[in-house]
Amino acid sequence: MKSAENDKAKNLLDGLVRSILPVILALLVAGLIMLAMGSNPIDFFSGVWTYGVTGSNLQRSLVLSAPLILVAVGLIVAFRGQLWNLGYNGQYLLGAVVASGAGPYLFASMPAWLATIVIILGALLVGAVWSLVPAILKARYGTNEIITSLVMSFIGVGIANLLIKGPLKDPNTPQPQTEVIADSYLLPYIPGTVIHIGLIIAIVIAIVAQFIFSRTSFGLRLDIFGASPKAARHVGINSTWMVILLFAVSSALIALAGAIDVLGQYSYQRANWDPHYGDAVMPFVFLARLSPLAAIPLVVFYAILATGGTLAAQQAGLNADFLLVIVGLILIFMTITEYVGDRRKLGQSYLPPGLKTTVVRLFQGGTGRKSS
Amino acid sequence: MSTLTDPEVISLREITKAFPGVVANDRISLDIVSGQVHCLLGENGAGKSTLISILAGLQQPDSGSISINGVEAAITSPRASVDYGIGVVHQHSTLVPAFTVLENLMLGESGVMQEKKRAKERLDELSELLGAELDPQALASDLGLGQQQQVEIAKAIWKGSRLLILDEPTSMLTPQAIEHLSESVERVKAQGLAVVFITHKLREAYSMGDCVTVLRSGRNVGHISVEELASFDEHEAQESILRAMFGEDINSVGDDAAELAGATEAVRETRSIDLSSRPVRLELDAVSSRGLGRDVDVDGISVKVHEGEILGIAGIDGHGQGALAEVVAGQRPASAGSLRFDGEDVTKLGVRGRQHLGVRYVTDDRLHEGTVGSMSVALNLVIKRIGERPFWRFGQIQRKVVDAEALRLIGEYGIRTPSPATRAGTLSGGNIQKILLARELTDGARLVVVNKPTYGLDLKTVHLVREILIEFAANGGSVILLSSDLDELVELSHRIEIMSGGKIVGSVVNDKPGTAEKVGHFMTGAIEGAQ
Ligand SMILES: Nc1ncnc2c1ncn2[C@@H]1O[C@H](COP(=O)(O)OP(=O)(O)OP(=O)(O)O)[C@@H](O)[C@H]1O
Ligand SMILES: [Mg+2]
């Protein structure tokens, strides 16, 4: 079965090209834009390297990676079932508020390890329950989950803010924020580093998810469900239960990201604070072709870009929002690569012939297509 | 538009297209001439649809060329194909169900403004040309299959085409609708258009075609020219087509050749059994269903199927057959009544529970329900036994065991696939159907519901599928055969129940000649009664 092995190698290469090419192209074009804006792209990228990787900066980037990986895995769980959970901002903040709100009381009244476990379970539960509304509406009435989860997200963000401004507000500060959890109660560091163990939790969850998706019967059921709800029904998969379960797990993991971020890094939560992790992670989830393990390096890459980029952008005379431009460019190039890749595989194209030849020629060298 | 004295020729030369593990088109050359119906025949997987998709601009050939009247034509996209005046009616419907006829027809318009008035005029023109009455405001989903087909044709020649391609247009149609279609094709042809007509039915090829090309394993293995075909009688034509289609293999089909061709009258081939001595395997008692979709539900149906019996369910498509199949399989809950399987009440049991008892279902939606096209043939073969030993242990898939089982079934049922790891969606229609049969009939099947088991299959595969069902029943299995093909029902069933509007309206014991007439009588009676 030599050809099968060749095929496998080719597929792997193909996948790699498809995941990395858009990132490289986006960085190149971002550089050109910087030039056009009169900034020096070399300054910017070396700044990203300096502030994102060198010295202890890599550790800062990895700390940021922990919640990002959890959010990514959360999104992947839903997306694999073709459920578009876009309520991640609300889910994240509600998870965070469980930690920042309940933390000060729990740590005061029980051993730290127990409080931590209670907080984590509480965040998972809140996330899961919060997802029930869009999930049940979807499962029972086929309501579009994009809209319902977004609406629930707005409500979730609002509730988190109201809680922080109201009952959970630390009376000792004028700002609307929660009481600070003492350093000694926060998640411990990985020995020899200043990275909290949330990163390990996140990576373990990603590995477990990967295993479940690729090796277990549940993973296969999930793939069937994602590929064709009709086939799922035919095979005897209970789609109501599947929608509810996927939404619950997805949302619970994203809420966990919030709790871990507070317990590991921030130690308190300010009102109107929202890091929008889901928005940033979204393109990388697709670049990783919904594989949790493949998402890790991509997410770490983004974490470095985000950590180093903020300072580097200032240094290069750019606004920090320039990071979003790069993320946007990645999305655009991803779409183009996808089009071209699909065309090569299925022989179908929706691009007009003129544009197609130009674009395809551009990519032919890079993807090693044998000429016909 | 050219006149009949100066016919246009679309020439395909040395068209080659390979997919991983198969050469779908292998140096195919043929000429398509205006004012003629060119029939394309060949077994499942011979490469017919692939050739069509190249003409339609959906796929690019690896090599070879297409020219129109000697001028090279670069069909690089569906758009380009339309611009060359090529219109295709694909094997599977492409109409948007929620759109009206007119909206469906105007989907291909490129202009920014929708010119409704002109569109209506064009529709009138085409309605007249096709000899069909097409209501522009009717929803596509409300049309019968025959009318949908007419709309598809109108859509294909919307832009004043030069070539109309019909990929297996008759496989789902009733005899009357086929009659209409053949009239429409005649008219289109008379307008000077070329027509390519793909079918598995030799009778249609003979009656509608002006010339015939036969493909086998991607090659052009036989051509019957206009003159030759005109000089043949029906029998000679069938002989020569069959020989080209199956080559030496024809011997293995033997005397059945004529029957395969549909030339003889159907008679029952199943061994007779004494129903009164056989235990009842499945009993439906006044079962009604309520599905979520818009299709017809079953309404107070009572039927019995015995051990070793093939029970045919006749009826015009869309009269609750799908609902009946799903209610038996457990995919659709019964809202009233009860189901007993081997004496046990299974009304409340789901798909997997019934599966374990031996209830199986071969659905008529092979592509979207019966298989997951993006998954491998091997996984599709065990897809109903997910999580069960020996294929899964401790929740983990045992790939070696799955592959071994897949190879066994591939061998036993002669599924033609490059490997077990090939994506199921790339197999030809006949081979996908074999996946379903192999999967459903293995591992303790006791009752199988088969819905339209042979539509779109080539002669040999049709024969094979029927043999498989007969043998399954002979070994004590029970079969509920839903079909709109009367010949098939007569050939296989012990008894035939006639379904209309979700109810059973008659029953015929198939033990002497004349069954088809009786069934037909019930069917027309039901229709007239309903009006
Ligand atoms: N996109 C694809 N990828 C891989 N293989 C394909 C693809 N499309 C078709 N094939 C293979 O090419 C061969 C020819 O398929 P094709 O669909 O043209 O057959 P066909 O003559 O139309 O059969 P049928 O009568 O069943 O419709 C088959 O072996 C099929 O598996
Ligand atoms: Mg075909």
Side-chain angles (χ1 to χ4, degrees):
Chain A
M1 293 254 105
K2 183 131 195 239
S3 71
E5 254 160 49
N6 277 347
D7 270 5
K8 239 186 202 167
K10 199 179 150 291
N11 277 345
L12 205 71
L13 188 77
D14 217 51
L16 215 63
V17 167
R18 279 215 217 178
S19 305
I20 294 174
L21 194 65
V23 178
I24 295 173
L25 288 171
L27 292 181
L28 281 176
V29 172
L32 291 178
I33 295 177
M34 280 181 239
L35 273 183
M37 290 169 67
S39 315
N40 185 348
I42 308 282
D43 278 356
F44 175 77
F45 288 119
S46 66
V48 168
W49 179 260
T50 317
Y51 303 118
V53 180
T54 55
S56 66
N57 290 327
L58 181 62
Q59 299 199 12
R60 288 204 303 142
S61 300
L62 288 174
V63 169
L64 175 60
S65 301
L68 288 176
I69 291 171
L70 283 172
V71 172
V73 177
L75 291 180
I76 287 172
V77 170
F79 290 0
R80 277 183 96 104
Q82 303 279 312
L83 295 172
W84 308 110
N85 173 15
L86 298 191
Y88 39 75
N89 289 334
Q91 291 153 7
Y92 173 90
L93 287 182
L94 286 175
V97 101
V98 168
S100 63
Y105 301 100
L106 290 176
F107 283 114
S109 60
M110 55 178 83
W113 62 268
L114 186 60
T116 308
I117 289 175
V118 170
I119 287 169
I120 284 179
L121 292 179
L124 289 171
L125 189 72
V126 166
V129 169
W130 192 249
S131 76
L132 281 179
V133 175
I136 290 174
L137 284 175
K138 168 84 179 176
R140 298 288 304 168
Y141 308 106
T143 318
N144 187 332
E145 75 279 14
I146 296 184
I147 295 166
T148 48
S149 64
L150 261 178
V151 169
M152 288 301 284
S153 185
F154 290 132
I155 300 175
V157 172
I159 291 181
N161 286 332
L162 282 179
L163 286 175
I164 295 167
K165 288 174 188 164
L168 302 179
K169 184 179 176 299
D170 178 2
N172 304 321
T173 58
Q175 286 89 11
Q177 66 178 49
T178 63
E179 205 176 303
V180 176
I181 299 169
D183 272 1
S184 57
Y185 294 140
L186 295 183
L187 292 176
Y189 289 142
I190 300 169
T193 70
V194 290
I195 307 167
H196 62 82
I197 58 162
L199 180 67
I200 294 184
I201 297 177
I203 289 175
V204 167
I205 286 179
I207 292 172
V208 169
Q210 180 79 32
F211 176 81
I212 290 175
F213 292 151
S214 63
R215 303 274 318 172
T216 69
S217 54
F218 178 79
L220 185 56
R221 287 206 187 98
L222 173 53
D223 283 349
I224 295 171
F225 180 77
S228 158
K230 243 178 153 181
R233 197 166 71 105
H234 186 62
V235 172
I237 293 167
N238 182 338
S239 61
T240 307
W241 170 232
M242 200 67 158
V243 170
I244 291 173
L245 179 71
L246 292 181
F247 245 110
V249 172
S250 167
S251 175
L253 286 176
I254 296 171
L256 176 65
I260 279 194
D261 227 8
V262 168
L263 289 185
Q265 196 187 3
Y266 292 107
S267 74
Y268 71 97
Q269 188 172 357
R270 253 182 291 130
N272 299 330
W273 170 75
D274 184 354
H276 290 280
Y277 287 149
D279 298 321
V281 150
M282 183 87 71
F284 299 100
V285 162
F286 287 108
L287 282 180
R289 338 229 87 233
L290 301 186
S291 149
L293 280 190
I296 293 179
L298 290 164
V299 163
V300 170
F301 162 81
Y302 173 77
I304 290 170
L305 194 65
T307 311
T310 320
L311 269 178
Q314 283 168 14
Q315 214 172 45
L318 293 158
N319 191 300
D321 286 343
F322 195 75
L323 282 176
L324 282 180
V325 174
I326 298 180
V327 172
L329 284 170
I330 293 175
L331 261 174
I332 291 172
F333 282 107
M334 191 178 85
T335 321
I336 295 177
T337 321
E338 194 60 25
Y339 257 139
V340 177
D342 273 354
R343 199 204 69 96
R344 288 194 320 119
K345 231 179 218 147
L346 305 173
Q348 294 183 344
S349 170
Y350 302 98
L351 295 176
L355 175 62
K356 191 184 70 196
T357 22
T358 333
V359 177
V360 171
R361 214 168 278 148
L362 229 164
F363 285 90
Q364 264 174 351
T367 51
R369 181 197 192 201
K370 66 172 192 294
S371 60
S372 45
Chain B
M1 189 152 289
S2 59
T3 63
L4 287 176
T5 50
D6 173 27
E8 275 194 324
V9 184
I10 301 172
S11 315
L12 280 63
R13 287 289 168 269
E14 303 276 308
I15 298 286
T16 299
K17 175 84 192 175
F19 293 113
V22 269
V23 183
N25 287 170
D26 189 359
R27 288 163 287 147
I28 293 182
S29 298
L30 54 90
D31 288 333
I32 304 164
V33 182
S34 63
Q36 291 182 6
V37 177
H38 194 136
C39 277
L40 204 52
L41 284 95
E43 18 177 5
N44 294 124
K48 305 179 294 293
S49 297
T50 305
L51 194 65
I52 297 318
S53 64
I54 288 172
L55 275 169
L58 290 169
Q59 312 235 28
Q60 298 303 308
D62 298 338
S63 65
S65 66
I66 300 170
S67 59
I68 299 178
N69 284 335
V71 183
E72 176 119 351
I75 305 179
T76 47
S77 70
R79 177 99 261 151
S81 170
V82 170
D83 290 344
Y84 280 114
I86 299 173
V88 185
V89 176
H90 287 282
Q91 211 166 341
H92 308 282
S93 172
T94 55
L95 297 182
V96 182
F99 280 17
T100 66
V101 167
L102 199 64
E103 285 165 345
N104 264 296
L105 290 169
M106 291 173 68
L107 276 181
E109 301 270 291
S110 44
V112 181
M113 299 295 288
Q114 295 191 337
E115 297 183 58
K116 273 233 166 101
K117 192 150 162 281
R118 252 210 13 238
K120 273 218 181 87
E121 282 167 18
R122 177 77 182 139
L123 178 61
D124 286 342
E125 241 172 78
L126 290 178
S127 299
E128 192 171 319
L129 169 60
L130 295 172
E133 280 197 17
L134 300 176
D135 173 6
Q137 303 308 338
L139 282 183
S141 55
D142 290 343
L143 301 181
L145 285 173
Q147 278 186 307
Q148 285 188 18
Q149 194 77 258
Q150 300 280 6
V151 177
E152 295 255 19
I153 296 175
K155 192 174 157 199
I157 56 179
W158 190 246
K159 293 271 171 71
S161 285
R162 144 192 287 145
L163 168 64
L164 170 64
I165 303 174
L166 301 164
D167 195 350
E168 295 191 32
T170 57
S171 57
M172 295 286 262
L173 297 189
T174 60
Q176 293 91 316
I178 293 176
E179 197 56 40
H180 275 291
L181 178 71
S182 109
E183 279 163 23
S184 300
V185 168
E186 270 311 305
R187 287 154 175 258
V188 168
K189 184 172 94 171
Q191 286 286 308
L193 269 75
V195 178
V196 169
F197 191 92
I198 298 180
T199 181
H200 288 296
K201 297 176 189 153
L202 301 193
R203 224 188 249 167
E204 283 169 9
Y206 182 75
S207 65
M208 293 164 90
D210 294 303
C211 62
V212 172
T213 295
V214 177
L215 301 187
R216 171 151 44 99
S217 312
R219 277 188 221 116
N220 180 341
V221 290
H223 180 70
I224 306 177
S225 67
V226 180
E227 297 76 33
E228 268 179 298
L229 193 63
S231 72
F232 284 164
D233 68 18
E234 184 160 2
H235 185 69
E236 283 170 328
Q238 281 176 0
E239 283 276 287
S240 82
I241 294 173
L242 281 174
R243 208 171 314 115
M245 262 170 107
F246 299 118
E248 295 310 306
D249 281 1
I250 194 68
N251 297 329
S252 68
V253 183
D255 294 341
D256 290 338
E259 188 187 296
L260 276 181
T264 57
E265 206 205 327
V267 285
R268 202 187 78 203
E269 308 219 322
T270 328
R271 248 188 302 145
S272 43
I273 55 169
D274 177 15
L275 288 184
S276 58
S277 73
R278 302 283 184 128
V280 175
R281 168 108 347 125
L282 177 76
E283 182 176 359
L284 268 67
D285 185 18
V287 171
S288 300
S289 67
R290 195 164 303 123
L292 294 170
R294 296 150 52 92
D295 58 340
V296 177
D297 268 299
V298 292
D299 183 3
I301 282 196
S302 298
V303 283
K304 274 186 195 149
V305 197
H306 300 80
E307 179 196 289
E309 183 188 18
I310 300 184
L311 174 70
I313 307 277
I316 296 161
D317 206 39
H319 273 255
Q321 289 94 331
L324 176 60
E326 292 193 353
V327 160
V328 173
Q331 275 176 227
R332 188 186 294 229
S335 58
S338 67
L339 290 94
R340 301 180 75 78
F341 184 75
D342 281 337
E344 188 184 332
D345 189 341
V346 295
T347 318
K348 292 269 173 302
L349 231 49
V351 172
R352 282 163 76 81
R354 294 190 200 185
Q355 161 94 6
H356 280 133
L357 291 177
V359 180
R360 303 300 158 81
Y361 173 29
V362 176
T363 166
D364 58 341
D365 187 354
R366 297 167 199 161
L367 293 181
H368 301 109
E369 185 174 3
T371 52
V372 181
S374 56
M375 291 186 181
S376 70
V377 170
L379 278 181
N380 272 287
L381 281 167
V382 298
I383 211 166
K384 291 223 177 151
R385 290 189 269 169
I386 295 176
E388 292 172 21
R389 281 169 173 257
F391 308 112
W392 272 265
R393 269 166 193 278
F394 311 109
Q396 271 197 68
I397 187 165
Q398 306 295 308
R399 295 199 197 276
K400 284 216 180 78
V401 189
V402 169
D403 275 348
E405 172 77 352
L407 283 173
R408 179 179 80 79
L409 291 172
I410 286 170
E412 191 175 325
Y413 286 83
I415 301 168
R416 273 213 242 145
T417 169
S419 87
T422 306
R423 282 187 297 142
T426 67
L427 298 194
S428 77
N431 286 299
I432 291 179
Q433 182 67 341
K434 286 188 206 165
I435 293 182
L436 297 200
L437 283 166
R439 177 179 78 206
E440 301 303 324
L441 294 182
T442 193
D443 187 43
R446 293 169 69 75
L447 170 113
V448 60
V449 185
V450 286
N451 197 357
K452 297 197 215 80
T454 59
Y455 83 87
L457 302 189
D458 68 42
L459 300 172
K460 224 167 57 174
T461 315
V462 168
H463 185 70
L464 180 81
V465 167
R466 293 186 183 162
E467 295 269 273
I468 289 172
L469 292 175
I470 290 173
E471 196 190 309
F472 177 69
N475 292 331
S478 308
V479 178
I480 298 180
L481 169 66
L482 303 129
S483 179
S484 42
D485 179 345
L486 260 186
D487 287 352
E488 176 164 274
L489 288 164
V490 171
E491 203 176 294
L492 298 180
S493 319
H494 294 104
R495 283 184 304 140
I496 298 174
E497 309 261 10
I498 297 92
M499 210 174 168
S500 179
K503 293 189 168 77
I504 299 286
V505 294
S507 176
V508 178
V509 178
N510 182 25
D511 53 359
K512 39 189 179 291
T515 308
E517 283 73 45
K518 282 188 216 156
V519 172
H521 177 76
F522 273 118
M523 277 167 72
T524 46
I527 292 163
E528 278 156 14
Q531 276 169 359

